[in-house]
Amino acid sequence: DAPNRRIMNVLRSLSKRMESGASLADAMRQYGHWFPAHFVAQISAGENTGQLADAIRSLGMRRSSWIDSQKSPNRRLFSRSPSRRSARC
């Protein structure tokens, strides 16, 4: 279960950094390979405006929408390469 261990290690590190006084966004920046820049930017904006909960909720909703779009049958149909589609005709 290595992926779960890695996630837990990242979360522990984030927690330790915040306990040391770093903001969530600053702690997340140390893990750029885990957290895309736009994600960290939205967290930072939420922290700076007092709207962190809204920022997290918004990111969660966007992520859910993206996951749903990947499950769509139309997504799979239109994501095939043209050569694969023409081979079936």
Side-chain angles (χ1 to χ4, degrees), residues 7-62:
I7 291 168
M8 290 306 296
N9 287 337
V10 168
L11 293 175
R12 282 188 198 104
S13 178
L14 291 176
S15 178
K16 286 179 185 177
R17 288 176 189 273
M18 291 187 308
E19 287 172 359
S20 297
S23 68
L24 175 58
D26 286 339
M28 292 168 72
R29 280 187 189 96
Q30 302 299 313
Y31 292 93
H33 58 283
W34 282 81
F35 303 106
H38 73 277
F39 191 98
V40 176
Q42 189 158 349
I43 294 296
S44 180
E47 288 176 320
N48 292 330
T49 62
Q51 302 295 316
L52 181 57
D54 290 337
I56 292 171
R57 193 173 10 264
S58 173
L59 288 167
M61 290 183 341
R62 267 197 252 153

